[in-house]
Amino acid sequence: MGCPIEDDEGEELILAYGARTLAPEQQIELEQHLETCESCREKAEAQRAVWSALDEWVPTVVSPNFDERLFRRIASEEQSAWWQRLFSVNWSWRPAVPVAMACAAVIAAFLLKSPALRTEPQSEAQPKLQIEQVEHALDDMDMLKQLGVESALDKAHPSEKI
Ligand SMILES: [Zn+2]
């Protein structure tokens, strides 16, 4: 195998190596190359460091009264003028985007690294838990959708209140 850094797929190969998503034979091939190539080894080690940092990352626990505070906040924003609401909604949700992306990356990493989880027969307790999680997620999505629709409507027709 030639040095992967020198061809276009090299970056991808090393990224996949860091994420442990390489096919076993590709991984063996790359590992053999890493023993002889310092620049590839450095890149691969950097990738591994990123992924092990992600492994150690534990999401912050949401405070127990998060829902209550969120609903109170929504209620107070509904009472404020449309332009205040528009401003504060846009402003307050913007930081959530990178957080959501980070969460998605962690979930993706988890799924990619644990293919066994998807194929294993599920225990009896799991479906109930999943249904609850889905219901909760749907509730949250509903709420976010309402917020989004409201602010979109406000943009389109500032004078029309819902
Ligand atoms: Zn190399």
Side-chain angles (χ1 to χ4, degrees):
M1 156 182 215
C3 182
I5 281 185
E6 283 163 14
D7 66 58
D8 289 343
E9 286 165 23
E11 291 280 325
E12 231 168 88
L13 201 66
I14 288 172
L15 284 176
Y17 173 74
R20 293 170 211 255
T21 55
L22 276 182
E25 61 270 24
Q26 275 181 306
Q27 174 157 345
I28 291 165
E29 223 180 330
L30 183 64
E31 274 170 352
Q32 279 170 354
H33 174 72
L34 292 182
E35 284 176 14
T36 58
C37 177
E38 200 179 336
S39 58
C40 286
R41 194 162 58 227
E42 275 171 18
K43 283 209 168 208
E45 275 168 10
Q47 276 304 313
R48 277 278 158 98
V50 169
W51 282 88
S52 64
L54 278 173
D55 283 345
E56 283 162 25
W57 180 71
V58 180
T60 321
V61 178
V62 176
S63 58
N65 62 341
F66 175 81
D67 279 358
E68 189 195 322
R69 273 165 42 212
L70 180 62
F71 285 122
R72 216 185 298 148
R73 170 104 181 261
I74 291 169
S76 73
E77 282 181 356
E78 275 171 357
Q79 285 162 7
S80 58
W82 68 266
W83 55 270
Q84 279 178 325
R85 202 159 83 226
L86 192 65
F87 175 79
S88 68
V89 166
N90 282 349
W91 181 82
S92 62
W93 287 101
R94 202 179 301 155
V97 174
V99 173
M101 282 169 72
C103 289
V106 171
I107 291 164
F110 185 73
L111 291 177
L112 287 171
K113 287 169 66 179
S114 331
L117 275 180
R118 281 177 290 174
T119 50
E120 251 169 23
Q122 297 187 333
S123 72
E124 283 180 21
Q126 242 177 341
K128 189 170 173 263
L129 188 69
Q130 282 177 343
I131 289 167
E132 279 172 12
Q133 285 173 335
V134 168
E135 277 175 355
H136 203 84
L138 285 175
D139 285 347
D140 289 349
M141 275 168 63
D142 244 355
M143 208 166 62
L144 289 174
K145 213 157 63 185
Q146 281 174 359
L147 275 176
V149 167
E150 279 185 21
S151 66
L153 282 173
D154 281 344
K155 272 181 213 157
H157 306 284
S159 56
E160 284 175 23
K161 274 204 151 186
I162 314 160

